[in-house]
Amino acid sequence: MEHDIEAFRRASAEASDWIAQYMGDMARFRVNPEMRPGDLIDRLPPSGPESGESLEQILADFEKLILPAVTHWNHPRFFNYFACTASAPGVIAEMLTASMNTNGLNWIASPAVSELEQVVLAWLRQWMGLSGDYFGEIFDTASVSTLHAVMAAREWIDPNVRMNGITKPLAVYSSDQAHSSIDKAVVAAGIGLRNLRKIASDDQFRMRPEALREAMAADAAAGLTPCCVIVTAGTTSTTSVDPLEPILEIAAVHNAWVHIDSAYAGAAALLPEFAWMLKGNERAHSLVVNPHKWLFTPMDCSAFYTRYPDVLRRTFTITPEYLKTTGDPREVSLMDYGVALGRRFRALKLWYVLRYFGRNTLQELIRGHIAMAQELGRWVSADDRFELAAPVPFSAVCFRIRDSAEKTRALVSAINSTGAFFISQTVLKGRYAARVAIGNQATSRDDVKALWFEITRLAGLL
Ligand code: PLP
């Protein structure tokens, strides 16, 4: 079947009109769908069509069948997880990327993928104030970026690991607030959850360096090798920031790899007032920040940086004849820096986004989100019925109804069942809390005010 270019032109114009209307009129949708598990499966045929169907028909069915099952992450009243944005430049770049379908597995397979990735990650590195020796590459998610950090840490600690596997027990450290992707990385890298130490956090949910020092010393004395410390700059529940500099000093005693998980809050390092957060990065080994979280780039785009690209190359380079390239010293083949061979052209959307907004507008948007969260935090504190459950360093607010986990739980559920807002929950030091994360480009102070109005109204009915 040949491409029917005229049919494509018509159908893609129709799809992009649909997208423009969708983006401009988000308010007409519930943020979260009203459905039970299995509803969509039940609405669709159990087997695929024998004969092809028209693009117009497929778009009509997308609207009728698929859309009602979608959670609208691009909605300005989406306050769950970490709110994010597929901005217009990112969407356009995704269309171009899909049309080219270029695969940057090595340099020659698509020079643009390899080289643009290095250029845009250097721009972002500079804007975040990272030291100039960080080499960057793009993965799909922070989970995969952190897995690569842990695998590099194994190689760093024991260069025989590539040939022999793990022959001596290794230990990995994070705070008790770290994301579950750390646990998964430890499982996938063969280190074992038993050897993951969740170091106690303080009353502001930051890793306690003294507890880390004790744990690393105890492991070393017991014959384990401290391998990797994961520092979170912006934890998932409360966005707390672990103290990087003291941790670096402690890790250095054991020559352990230090990975910074700033998947969400790394974006705030674009603001000079948050430079403190990554102070000392020039002594860390790797870092992850997700432009698909708070840098207005569509899923998926996770920027992984390391000061030791040679360790990644040592870990992952395997070059059969069919993957050989030119051998030019300026050539970078990203297949040598990770598990995956095939590589989507994710750099294009980041290039579009960084150019379209520029550093100034990105800073304004991020500052605006932080100001909205802090104002919400003040409203919570000023209302006797509520209390803040954690400080508000960035754009997420954790709060509860005073002394009532049950009512707080009921409040989260009541808000989410309106369909007008979508918020989340967490447990902090054993206590349940509601959580509101602000981060969509279109979210305004009015959206946050409307949410607060709804919170107080529904709390009054409990
Ligand atoms: N690290 C932190 C601090 C996060 O908050 C998250 C997700 O919210 C992740 C890692 C995992 O991100 P991803 O979904 O890109 O794997």
Side-chain angles (χ1 to χ4, degrees), residues 114-127:
S114 166
E115 299 198 2
L116 191 61
E117 202 158 307
Q118 292 169 70
V119 170
V120 285
L121 292 190
W123 292 1
L124 183 60
R125 183 195 73 219
Q126 290 159 25
W127 289 1

Side-chain angles (χ1 to χ4, degrees), residues 389 397-400 408 411-412 423-426 432-436:
V397 182
C398 294
F399 66 97
R400 55 174 74 90
T408 310
L411 176 65
V412 172
I423 70 168
S424 60
Q425 73 289 329
T426 188
Y432 186 90
R435 179 179 168 285
V436 172

Side-chain angles (χ1 to χ4, degrees), residues 81-82 140-146 177-182 232-237 261-265 288 290 292-293 299-302 435:
Y81 308 102
F82 280 123
D140 53 357
T141 57
S143 305
V144 168
S145 291
T146 293
Q177 299 296 310
H179 190 262
S180 54
S181 54
I182 315 304
T232 311
T235 55
T236 311
S237 285
D261 178 358
S262 60
Y264 151 75
V288 58
N290 275 4
H292 75 227
K293 282 189 165 40
M299 268 293 281
D300 48 6
C301 186
S302 176
R435 179 179 168 285

